[in-house]
Amino acid sequence: AASNAFHLATETADFLRANLPEQLARPRVAIVCGSGLGGLAKTVNAEREEFEYKDVPNFPVSTVAGHAGKLIFSTIGQKNVPVLLLVGRAHFYEGYSMDMVTFATRVCKVLGVETMLVTNAAGGLNPDYAVGDIVCLNDHLNIPGFAGFHSLRGPNIEEFGVRFQPLSDAYDLSLRMLVHKTWKELKAQSPNERRLHEGVYAFLCGPTYETRAEGKMLRQFGADVVGMSTVPEIVTARHCGMRVLALSLVTNNVVVEPTIRGDHPDLQGLSPAEVDAYLKRGMANHEEVLETGKQAALDVESLVLAVVSQL
Ligand code: HPA
């Protein structure tokens, strides 16, 4: 049982390799496409092989609207860097075990992937961030991990890594430097308002968005963005020795103002509709998350493409 995840991942990797032409069978970089970032699939080179998750042995099938599930083996850029795109991921809030959430990451390792580039849609906690900005992650808060829902809980899988994995260097510094350099070059070519930040990602289970008190707490804990993915994959990728780069697209601002009190002076004399409008300011919703993803996705895609071309 201790090495079950290793055997399952090996079985899946063997299946994929058996169904791939040689030049696509050893991806060096894996790119996890977050909510609304599936358009990355259009930017890879023409030669490709696709597998729907449902046709791949042992693979979890995502149940969220807007998260199609497929693996795309292809290449990126003029140097034809071999890549594996994971379009759609299994989230912990869907009810998957942490082993299922991190399964694709382990398959990447067995396939020989060296670098995991993980993208996601996230809520902005840092008041300096605007909707549509991009955040290169430099650290995280694994909040479910604090409570025992940790992706490496259980017997250590020796084939992948060590029992006590350090994470103080989880987010590869040279890759982050490359991201900033590349972003500057892209901006010089086509200037726009969007900004690239570096920040800390707080992982929550979800599926609910944050209450006001939770948003405020996360900000005080030092988080810049918050989301429901990425951290289990990052932890698992570091455990098995892959380099990690993670980009969040800020799709909404999280409400970090205090809970509104019923005796607030601003509310006195307002109609029920006005009270409702007051309350709804800045509230997150899934449609807004997907819509912002569409508009800013093109810039994230250009950035990913340019970064991976240099790996
Ligand atoms: N909170 C948590 N996860 C998210 C959010 C948010 O506001 N936006 C996109 N994913």
Side-chain angles (χ1 to χ4, degrees):
S3 9
N4 201 23
F6 178 77
H7 289 305
L8 289 172
T10 303
E11 192 176 275
T12 302
D14 286 346
F15 165 86
L16 292 167
R17 271 193 295 247
N19 288 282
L20 282 167
E22 199 168 335
Q23 65 276 21
L24 297 181
R26 255 194 90 81
R28 280 179 40 224
V29 182
I31 305 169
V32 182
C33 306
S35 303
L37 294 163
L40 273 164
K42 296 197 206 88
T43 67
V44 297
N45 293 335
E47 187 185 17
R48 61 173 73 187
E49 289 289 335
E50 297 194 5
F51 301 83
E52 290 193 28
Y53 289 170
K54 67 176 169 52
D55 301 327
V56 179
N58 309 324
F59 236 74
V61 178
S62 178
T63 62
V64 194
H67 299 63
K70 59 182 172 185
L71 290 152
I72 304 174
F73 291 80
S74 186
T75 59
I76 276 185
Q78 290 177 343
K79 286 193 293 174
N80 290 315
V81 177
V83 295
L84 166 54
L85 263 57
L86 296 142
V87 185
R89 53 153 68 90
H91 299 84
F92 193 54
Y93 62 74
E94 293 175 83
Y96 294 112
S97 66
M98 280 295 183
D99 274 349
M100 290 304 269
V101 170
T102 59
F103 184 72
T105 307
R106 286 176 162 160
V107 171
C108 290
K109 174 64 184 181
V110 179
L111 286 169
V113 168
E114 297 151 11
T115 304
M116 292 288 302
L117 200 171
V118 185
T119 67
N120 61 55
L125 295 161
N126 186 324
D128 187 39
Y129 293 3
V131 168
D133 283 355
I134 301 167
V135 186
C136 178
L137 304 187
N138 59 14
D139 214 333
H140 71 229
L141 298 172
N142 181 0
I143 306 226
F146 294 174
F149 295 99
H150 194 288
S151 49
L152 296 178
R153 180 173 175 271
N156 183 51
I157 304 178
E158 297 292 327
E159 291 92 334
F160 284 123
V162 298
R163 168 79 292 183
F164 299 105
Q165 173 65 37
L167 288 176
S168 54
D169 62 350
Y171 296 82
D172 192 277
L173 183 55
S174 58
L175 289 177
R176 282 186 270 141
M177 291 165 64
L178 178 64
V179 166
H180 288 287
K181 178 186 85 86
T182 306
W183 178 254
K184 276 207 192 91
E185 289 163 3
L186 289 174
K187 288 280 264 198
Q189 281 166 30
S190 57
N192 62 54
E193 290 297 293
R194 203 179 307 290
R195 287 192 296 157
L196 174 72
H197 309 276
E198 253 203 43
V200 176
Y201 179 96
F203 166 53
L204 295 188
C205 172
T208 49
Y209 293 116
E210 296 65 47
T211 66
R212 289 162 182 267
E214 288 162 353
K216 196 172 144 197
M217 181 197 84
L218 293 171
R219 182 69 192 136
Q220 286 172 356
F221 275 11
D224 297 295
V225 284
V226 54
M228 307 174 193
S229 67
T230 300
V231 166
E233 291 114 300
I234 301 271
V235 168
T236 300
R238 291 303 297 149
H239 180 245
C240 60
M242 294 190 281
R243 293 207 296 169
V244 161
L245 174 63
L247 298 172
S248 289
L249 176 59
V250 178
T251 51
N252 58 281
N253 288 123
V254 175
V255 179
V256 287
E257 291 114 59
T259 306
I260 301 167
R261 291 176 52 108
D263 59 359
H264 196 292
D266 286 0
L267 292 173
Q268 308 319 309
L270 296 187
S271 70
E274 288 168 328
V275 170
D276 200 46
Y278 187 93
L279 181 65
K280 292 259 159 65
R281 289 175 315 170
M283 190 186 283
N285 69 77
H286 190 57
E287 288 67 39
E288 181 191 37
V289 168
L290 292 180
E291 190 52 38
T292 309
K294 274 183 212 159
Q295 291 158 24
L298 296 173
D299 285 357
V300 178
E301 285 160 27
S302 311
L303 181 60
V304 168
L305 213 63
V307 167
V308 174
S309 302
Q310 298 170 76
L311 294 180

PDB file of all heavy atoms in Angstrom, residues 122-129 135-139 141 197-202 218-219 221-226 250 252-254:
ATOM      1  N   ALA A 122      -7.376  33.086  -8.988  1.00  0.00           N
ATOM      2  CA  ALA A 122      -7.355  33.310  -7.546  1.00  0.00           C
ATOM      3  C   ALA A 122      -8.028  34.623  -7.188  1.00  0.00           C
ATOM      4  O   ALA A 122      -8.161  35.527  -8.016  1.00  0.00           O
ATOM      5  CB  ALA A 122      -5.908  33.304  -7.037  1.00  0.00           C
ATOM      6  N   GLY A 123      -8.431  34.720  -5.941  1.00  0.00           N
ATOM      7  CA  GLY A 123      -8.993  35.967  -5.428  1.00  0.00           C
ATOM      8  C   GLY A 123      -7.868  36.835  -4.886  1.00  0.00           C
ATOM      9  O   GLY A 123      -6.947  36.336  -4.244  1.00  0.00           O
ATOM     10  N   GLY A 124      -7.911  38.130  -5.147  1.00  0.00           N
ATOM     11  CA  GLY A 124      -6.881  39.050  -4.665  1.00  0.00           C
ATOM     12  C   GLY A 124      -7.178  39.532  -3.252  1.00  0.00           C
ATOM     13  O   GLY A 124      -8.272  40.042  -2.976  1.00  0.00           O
ATOM     14  N   LEU A 125      -6.207  39.350  -2.362  1.00  0.00           N
ATOM     15  CA  LEU A 125      -6.327  39.862  -0.986  1.00  0.00           C
ATOM     16  C   LEU A 125      -5.517  41.139  -0.812  1.00  0.00           C
ATOM     17  O   LEU A 125      -5.870  42.015  -0.023  1.00  0.00           O
ATOM     18  CB  LEU A 125      -5.793  38.820   0.014  1.00  0.00           C
ATOM     19  CG  LEU A 125      -6.544  37.502   0.139  1.00  0.00           C
ATOM     20  CD1 LEU A 125      -5.647  36.447   0.788  1.00  0.00           C
ATOM     21  CD2 LEU A 125      -7.814  37.683   0.949  1.00  0.00           C
ATOM     22  N   ASN A 126      -4.396  41.232  -1.523  1.00  0.00           N
ATOM     23  CA  ASN A 126      -3.528  42.409  -1.437  1.00  0.00           C
ATOM     24  C   ASN A 126      -4.245  43.598  -2.079  1.00  0.00           C
ATOM     25  O   ASN A 126      -4.629  43.526  -3.252  1.00  0.00           O
ATOM     26  CB  ASN A 126      -2.218  42.105  -2.176  1.00  0.00           C
ATOM     27  CG  ASN A 126      -1.197  43.204  -2.017  1.00  0.00           C
ATOM     28  OD1 ASN A 126      -1.546  44.381  -1.975  1.00  0.00           O
ATOM     29  ND2 ASN A 126       0.062  42.835  -1.933  1.00  0.00           N
ATOM     30  N   PRO A 127      -4.450  44.686  -1.323  1.00  0.00           N
ATOM     31  CA  PRO A 127      -5.222  45.815  -1.858  1.00  0.00           C
ATOM     32  C   PRO A 127      -4.547  46.489  -3.062  1.00  0.00           C
ATOM     33  O   PRO A 127      -5.195  47.212  -3.809  1.00  0.00           O
ATOM     34  CB  PRO A 127      -5.323  46.785  -0.665  1.00  0.00           C
ATOM     35  CG  PRO A 127      -4.291  46.348   0.304  1.00  0.00           C
ATOM     36  CD  PRO A 127      -4.033  44.882   0.064  1.00  0.00           C
ATOM     37  N   ASP A 128      -3.259  46.224  -3.277  1.00  0.00           N
ATOM     38  CA  ASP A 128      -2.545  46.779  -4.417  1.00  0.00           C
ATOM     39  C   ASP A 128      -2.859  46.028  -5.720  1.00  0.00           C
ATOM     40  O   ASP A 128      -2.544  46.501  -6.801  1.00  0.00           O
ATOM     41  CB  ASP A 128      -1.034  46.726  -4.119  1.00  0.00           C
ATOM     42  CG  ASP A 128      -0.207  47.435  -5.180  1.00  0.00           C
ATOM     43  OD1 ASP A 128      -0.667  48.501  -5.657  1.00  0.00           O
ATOM     44  OD2 ASP A 128       0.870  46.922  -5.535  1.00  0.00           O
ATOM     45  N   TYR A 129      -3.468  44.854  -5.619  1.00  0.00           N
ATOM     46  CA  TYR A 129      -3.730  44.053  -6.814  1.00  0.00           C
ATOM     47  C   TYR A 129      -5.049  44.459  -7.460  1.00  0.00           C
ATOM     48  O   TYR A 129      -6.046  44.643  -6.772  1.00  0.00           O
ATOM     49  CB  TYR A 129      -3.816  42.557  -6.466  1.00  0.00           C
ATOM     50  CG  TYR A 129      -2.538  41.905  -6.001  1.00  0.00           C
ATOM     51  CD1 TYR A 129      -1.358  42.623  -5.834  1.00  0.00           C
ATOM     52  CD2 TYR A 129      -2.519  40.537  -5.723  1.00  0.00           C
ATOM     53  CE1 TYR A 129      -0.205  42.003  -5.391  1.00  0.00           C
ATOM     54  CE2 TYR A 129      -1.362  39.910  -5.290  1.00  0.00           C
ATOM     55  CZ  TYR A 129      -0.210  40.653  -5.119  1.00  0.00           C
ATOM     56  OH  TYR A 129       0.918  40.025  -4.678  1.00  0.00           O
ATOM     57  N   VAL A 135      -0.015  37.122 -10.707  1.00  0.00           N
ATOM     58  CA  VAL A 135       0.862  36.996  -9.540  1.00  0.00           C
ATOM     59  C   VAL A 135       1.746  35.766  -9.700  1.00  0.00           C
ATOM     60  O   VAL A 135       1.251  34.654  -9.889  1.00  0.00           O
ATOM     61  CB  VAL A 135       0.053  36.875  -8.228  1.00  0.00           C
ATOM     62  CG1 VAL A 135       0.991  36.906  -7.025  1.00  0.00           C
ATOM     63  CG2 VAL A 135      -0.985  37.984  -8.128  1.00  0.00           C
ATOM     64  N   CYS A 136       3.051  35.991  -9.679  1.00  0.00           N
ATOM     65  CA  CYS A 136       4.007  34.898  -9.675  1.00  0.00           C
ATOM     66  C   CYS A 136       4.175  34.493  -8.207  1.00  0.00           C
ATOM     67  O   CYS A 136       4.590  35.295  -7.380  1.00  0.00           O
ATOM     68  CB  CYS A 136       5.329  35.391 -10.266  1.00  0.00           C
ATOM     69  SG  CYS A 136       6.608  34.142 -10.272  1.00  0.00           S
ATOM     70  N   LEU A 137       3.793  33.267  -7.874  1.00  0.00           N
ATOM     71  CA  LEU A 137       3.809  32.876  -6.463  1.00  0.00           C
ATOM     72  C   LEU A 137       5.235  32.660  -5.976  1.00  0.00           C
ATOM     73  O   LEU A 137       6.069  32.107  -6.678  1.00  0.00           O
ATOM     74  CB  LEU A 137       2.989  31.602  -6.248  1.00  0.00           C
ATOM     75  CG  LEU A 137       1.534  31.642  -6.726  1.00  0.00           C
ATOM     76  CD1 LEU A 137       0.804  30.381  -6.298  1.00  0.00           C
ATOM     77  CD2 LEU A 137       0.814  32.885  -6.225  1.00  0.00           C
ATOM     78  N   ASN A 138       5.502  33.152  -4.765  1.00  0.00           N
ATOM     79  CA  ASN A 138       6.817  32.914  -4.166  1.00  0.00           C
ATOM     80  C   ASN A 138       6.738  32.158  -2.834  1.00  0.00           C
ATOM     81  O   ASN A 138       7.774  31.856  -2.243  1.00  0.00           O
ATOM     82  CB  ASN A 138       7.613  34.216  -4.020  1.00  0.00           C
ATOM     83  CG  ASN A 138       6.919  35.250  -3.155  1.00  0.00           C
ATOM     84  OD1 ASN A 138       5.976  34.928  -2.445  1.00  0.00           O
ATOM     85  ND2 ASN A 138       7.378  36.487  -3.222  1.00  0.00           N
ATOM     86  N   ASP A 139       5.501  31.846  -2.416  1.00  0.00           N
ATOM     87  CA  ASP A 139       5.337  31.126  -1.150  1.00  0.00           C
ATOM     88  C   ASP A 139       3.859  30.762  -0.991  1.00  0.00           C
ATOM     89  O   ASP A 139       3.031  31.216  -1.784  1.00  0.00           O
ATOM     90  CB  ASP A 139       5.797  32.007   0.020  1.00  0.00           C
ATOM     91  CG  ASP A 139       6.447  31.199   1.146  1.00  0.00           C
ATOM     92  OD1 ASP A 139       6.111  30.004   1.289  1.00  0.00           O
ATOM     93  OD2 ASP A 139       7.268  31.768   1.869  1.00  0.00           O
ATOM     94  N   LEU A 141       0.510  29.424   1.959  1.00  0.00           N
ATOM     95  CA  LEU A 141      -0.042  28.963   3.240  1.00  0.00           C
ATOM     96  C   LEU A 141      -0.919  27.753   2.924  1.00  0.00           C
ATOM     97  O   LEU A 141      -1.917  27.884   2.210  1.00  0.00           O
ATOM     98  CB  LEU A 141      -0.912  30.048   3.895  1.00  0.00           C
ATOM     99  CG  LEU A 141      -0.247  31.364   4.279  1.00  0.00           C
ATOM    100  CD1 LEU A 141      -1.317  32.370   4.722  1.00  0.00           C
ATOM    101  CD2 LEU A 141       0.757  31.140   5.407  1.00  0.00           C
ATOM    102  N   HIS A 197       2.882  40.722 -10.311  1.00  0.00           N
ATOM    103  CA  HIS A 197       3.345  40.839  -8.927  1.00  0.00           C
ATOM    104  C   HIS A 197       4.027  39.539  -8.510  1.00  0.00           C
ATOM    105  O   HIS A 197       3.950  38.541  -9.209  1.00  0.00           O
ATOM    106  CB  HIS A 197       2.159  41.074  -7.977  1.00  0.00           C
ATOM    107  CG  HIS A 197       1.243  42.173  -8.375  1.00  0.00           C
ATOM    108  ND1 HIS A 197       1.470  43.499  -8.070  1.00  0.00           N
ATOM    109  CD2 HIS A 197       0.073  42.159  -9.074  1.00  0.00           C
ATOM    110  CE1 HIS A 197       0.490  44.230  -8.545  1.00  0.00           C
ATOM    111  NE2 HIS A 197      -0.372  43.451  -9.158  1.00  0.00           N
ATOM    112  N   GLU A 198       4.638  39.574  -7.336  1.00  0.00           N
ATOM    113  CA  GLU A 198       5.054  38.336  -6.683  1.00  0.00           C
ATOM    114  C   GLU A 198       4.321  38.266  -5.363  1.00  0.00           C
ATOM    115  O   GLU A 198       4.241  39.276  -4.649  1.00  0.00           O
ATOM    116  CB  GLU A 198       6.566  38.334  -6.410  1.00  0.00           C
ATOM    117  CG  GLU A 198       7.295  37.409  -7.336  1.00  0.00           C
ATOM    118  CD  GLU A 198       8.632  36.948  -6.813  1.00  0.00           C
ATOM    119  OE1 GLU A 198       8.759  36.601  -5.628  1.00  0.00           O
ATOM    120  OE2 GLU A 198       9.553  36.927  -7.635  1.00  0.00           O
ATOM    121  N   GLY A 199       3.801  37.110  -5.013  1.00  0.00           N
ATOM    122  CA  GLY A 199       3.049  37.066  -3.771  1.00  0.00           C
ATOM    123  C   GLY A 199       2.823  35.674  -3.220  1.00  0.00           C
ATOM    124  O   GLY A 199       3.217  34.671  -3.811  1.00  0.00           O
ATOM    125  N   VAL A 200       2.169  35.675  -2.072  1.00  0.00           N
ATOM    126  CA  VAL A 200       1.912  34.457  -1.290  1.00  0.00           C
ATOM    127  C   VAL A 200       0.476  33.985  -1.548  1.00  0.00           C
ATOM    128  O   VAL A 200      -0.466  34.777  -1.497  1.00  0.00           O
ATOM    129  CB  VAL A 200       2.108  34.741   0.216  1.00  0.00           C
ATOM    130  CG1 VAL A 200       1.746  33.521   1.065  1.00  0.00           C
ATOM    131  CG2 VAL A 200       3.537  35.198   0.504  1.00  0.00           C
ATOM    132  N   TYR A 201       0.337  32.688  -1.812  1.00  0.00           N
ATOM    133  CA  TYR A 201      -0.964  32.082  -2.122  1.00  0.00           C
ATOM    134  C   TYR A 201      -1.477  31.331  -0.898  1.00  0.00           C
ATOM    135  O   TYR A 201      -0.767  30.494  -0.336  1.00  0.00           O
ATOM    136  CB  TYR A 201      -0.771  31.119  -3.288  1.00  0.00           C
ATOM    137  CG  TYR A 201      -1.987  30.359  -3.779  1.00  0.00           C
ATOM    138  CD1 TYR A 201      -2.725  30.829  -4.858  1.00  0.00           C
ATOM    139  CD2 TYR A 201      -2.368  29.143  -3.204  1.00  0.00           C
ATOM    140  CE1 TYR A 201      -3.815  30.100  -5.360  1.00  0.00           C
ATOM    141  CE2 TYR A 201      -3.454  28.420  -3.691  1.00  0.00           C
ATOM    142  CZ  TYR A 201      -4.168  28.912  -4.774  1.00  0.00           C
ATOM    143  OH  TYR A 201      -5.237  28.195  -5.269  1.00  0.00           O
ATOM    144  N   ALA A 202      -2.685  31.635  -0.487  1.00  0.00           N
ATOM    145  CA  ALA A 202      -3.314  30.864   0.592  1.00  0.00           C
ATOM    146  C   ALA A 202      -4.220  29.822  -0.037  1.00  0.00           C
ATOM    147  O   ALA A 202      -5.103  30.156  -0.829  1.00  0.00           O
ATOM    148  CB  ALA A 202      -4.117  31.770   1.507  1.00  0.00           C
ATOM    149  N   LEU A 218      -6.895  35.997   6.401  1.00  0.00           N
ATOM    150  CA  LEU A 218      -5.872  35.550   5.446  1.00  0.00           C
ATOM    151  C   LEU A 218      -4.913  36.687   5.111  1.00  0.00           C
ATOM    152  O   LEU A 218      -3.707  36.493   4.985  1.00  0.00           O
ATOM    153  CB  LEU A 218      -6.528  35.013   4.169  1.00  0.00           C
ATOM    154  CG  LEU A 218      -7.329  33.727   4.343  1.00  0.00           C
ATOM    155  CD1 LEU A 218      -8.115  33.426   3.068  1.00  0.00           C
ATOM    156  CD2 LEU A 218      -6.416  32.555   4.689  1.00  0.00           C
ATOM    157  N   ARG A 219      -5.461  37.895   4.964  1.00  0.00           N
ATOM    158  CA  ARG A 219      -4.613  39.057   4.679  1.00  0.00           C
ATOM    159  C   ARG A 219      -3.650  39.300   5.838  1.00  0.00           C
ATOM    160  O   ARG A 219      -2.468  39.555   5.642  1.00  0.00           O
ATOM    161  CB  ARG A 219      -5.489  40.295   4.411  1.00  0.00           C
ATOM    162  CG  ARG A 219      -4.688  41.531   4.053  1.00  0.00           C
ATOM    163  CD  ARG A 219      -4.032  41.367   2.690  1.00  0.00           C
ATOM    164  NE  ARG A 219      -3.032  42.389   2.424  1.00  0.00           N
ATOM    165  CZ  ARG A 219      -1.833  42.153   1.893  1.00  0.00           C
ATOM    166  NH1 ARG A 219      -1.483  40.927   1.562  1.00  0.00           N
ATOM    167  NH2 ARG A 219      -0.998  43.127   1.672  1.00  0.00           N
ATOM    168  N   PHE A 221      -2.583  37.159   7.841  1.00  0.00           N
ATOM    169  CA  PHE A 221      -1.620  36.044   7.860  1.00  0.00           C
ATOM    170  C   PHE A 221      -0.520  36.235   6.819  1.00  0.00           C
ATOM    171  O   PHE A 221       0.388  35.427   6.727  1.00  0.00           O
ATOM    172  CB  PHE A 221      -2.328  34.722   7.565  1.00  0.00           C
ATOM    173  CG  PHE A 221      -2.959  34.053   8.757  1.00  0.00           C
ATOM    174  CD1 PHE A 221      -3.094  34.699   9.972  1.00  0.00           C
ATOM    175  CD2 PHE A 221      -3.430  32.753   8.646  1.00  0.00           C
ATOM    176  CE1 PHE A 221      -3.691  34.065  11.060  1.00  0.00           C
ATOM    177  CE2 PHE A 221      -4.014  32.112   9.724  1.00  0.00           C
ATOM    178  CZ  PHE A 221      -4.144  32.753  10.927  1.00  0.00           C
ATOM    179  N   GLY A 222      -0.654  37.255   5.956  1.00  0.00           N
ATOM    180  CA  GLY A 222       0.395  37.509   4.977  1.00  0.00           C
ATOM    181  C   GLY A 222       0.117  36.979   3.585  1.00  0.00           C
ATOM    182  O   GLY A 222       1.012  36.984   2.733  1.00  0.00           O
ATOM    183  N   ALA A 223      -1.120  36.537   3.314  1.00  0.00           N
ATOM    184  CA  ALA A 223      -1.441  36.042   1.979  1.00  0.00           C
ATOM    185  C   ALA A 223      -1.798  37.203   1.052  1.00  0.00           C
ATOM    186  O   ALA A 223      -2.405  38.185   1.483  1.00  0.00           O
ATOM    187  CB  ALA A 223      -2.598  35.055   2.043  1.00  0.00           C
ATOM    188  N   ASP A 224      -1.419  37.080  -0.212  1.00  0.00           N
ATOM    189  CA  ASP A 224      -1.747  38.088  -1.231  1.00  0.00           C
ATOM    190  C   ASP A 224      -2.891  37.643  -2.131  1.00  0.00           C
ATOM    191  O   ASP A 224      -3.627  38.458  -2.665  1.00  0.00           O
ATOM    192  CB  ASP A 224      -0.508  38.364  -2.090  1.00  0.00           C
ATOM    193  CG  ASP A 224       0.624  38.952  -1.274  1.00  0.00           C
ATOM    194  OD1 ASP A 224       0.452  40.084  -0.781  1.00  0.00           O
ATOM    195  OD2 ASP A 224       1.662  38.275  -1.101  1.00  0.00           O
ATOM    196  N   VAL A 225      -2.982  36.336  -2.345  1.00  0.00           N
ATOM    197  CA  VAL A 225      -4.082  35.769  -3.134  1.00  0.00           C
ATOM    198  C   VAL A 225      -4.584  34.513  -2.431  1.00  0.00           C
ATOM    199  O   VAL A 225      -3.889  33.928  -1.593  1.00  0.00           O
ATOM    200  CB  VAL A 225      -3.647  35.407  -4.588  1.00  0.00           C
ATOM    201  CG1 VAL A 225      -3.517  36.637  -5.455  1.00  0.00           C
ATOM    202  CG2 VAL A 225      -2.365  34.584  -4.603  1.00  0.00           C
ATOM    203  N   VAL A 226      -5.817  34.114  -2.800  1.00  0.00           N
ATOM    204  CA  VAL A 226      -6.406  32.922  -2.181  1.00  0.00           C
ATOM    205  C   VAL A 226      -7.091  32.099  -3.255  1.00  0.00           C
ATOM    206  O   VAL A 226      -7.681  32.643  -4.180  1.00  0.00           O
ATOM    207  CB  VAL A 226      -7.393  33.291  -1.041  1.00  0.00           C
ATOM    208  CG1 VAL A 226      -8.462  34.272  -1.516  1.00  0.00           C
ATOM    209  CG2 VAL A 226      -8.040  32.054  -0.433  1.00  0.00           C
ATOM    210  N   VAL A 250      -5.525  37.055 -11.065  1.00  0.00           N
ATOM    211  CA  VAL A 250      -6.466  37.625 -10.090  1.00  0.00           C
ATOM    212  C   VAL A 250      -7.801  37.878 -10.803  1.00  0.00           C
ATOM    213  O   VAL A 250      -7.902  38.752 -11.657  1.00  0.00           O
ATOM    214  CB  VAL A 250      -5.930  38.943  -9.490  1.00  0.00           C
ATOM    215  CG1 VAL A 250      -6.943  39.535  -8.520  1.00  0.00           C
ATOM    216  CG2 VAL A 250      -4.589  38.715  -8.815  1.00  0.00           C
ATOM    217  N   ASN A 252     -10.822  38.251  -9.172  1.00  0.00           N
ATOM    218  CA  ASN A 252     -11.752  39.044  -8.346  1.00  0.00           C
ATOM    219  C   ASN A 252     -11.009  39.527  -7.107  1.00  0.00           C
ATOM    220  O   ASN A 252      -9.982  38.959  -6.747  1.00  0.00           O
ATOM    221  CB  ASN A 252     -12.959  38.194  -7.925  1.00  0.00           C
ATOM    222  CG  ASN A 252     -12.546  36.951  -7.151  1.00  0.00           C
ATOM    223  OD1 ASN A 252     -12.112  35.959  -7.722  1.00  0.00           O
ATOM    224  ND2 ASN A 252     -12.645  37.035  -5.836  1.00  0.00           N
ATOM    225  N   ASN A 253     -11.522  40.571  -6.517  1.00  0.00           N
ATOM    226  CA  ASN A 253     -10.972  41.016  -5.234  1.00  0.00           C
ATOM    227  C   ASN A 253     -11.756  40.359  -4.121  1.00  0.00           C
ATOM    228  O   ASN A 253     -12.984  40.319  -4.169  1.00  0.00           O
ATOM    229  CB  ASN A 253     -11.071  42.537  -5.099  1.00  0.00           C
ATOM    230  CG  ASN A 253     -10.086  43.250  -5.999  1.00  0.00           C
ATOM    231  OD1 ASN A 253     -10.465  44.070  -6.819  1.00  0.00           O
ATOM    232  ND2 ASN A 253      -8.824  42.926  -5.880  1.00  0.00           N
ATOM    233  N   VAL A 254     -11.052  39.834  -3.156  1.00  0.00           N
ATOM    234  CA  VAL A 254     -11.724  39.266  -1.992  1.00  0.00           C
ATOM    235  C   VAL A 254     -12.082  40.415  -1.053  1.00  0.00           C
ATOM    236  O   VAL A 254     -11.292  41.338  -0.859  1.00  0.00           O
ATOM    237  CB  VAL A 254     -10.798  38.265  -1.276  1.00  0.00           C
ATOM    238  CG1 VAL A 254     -11.437  37.747  -0.002  1.00  0.00           C
ATOM    239  CG2 VAL A 254     -10.450  37.111  -2.211  1.00  0.00           C
TER     240      VAL A 254
END
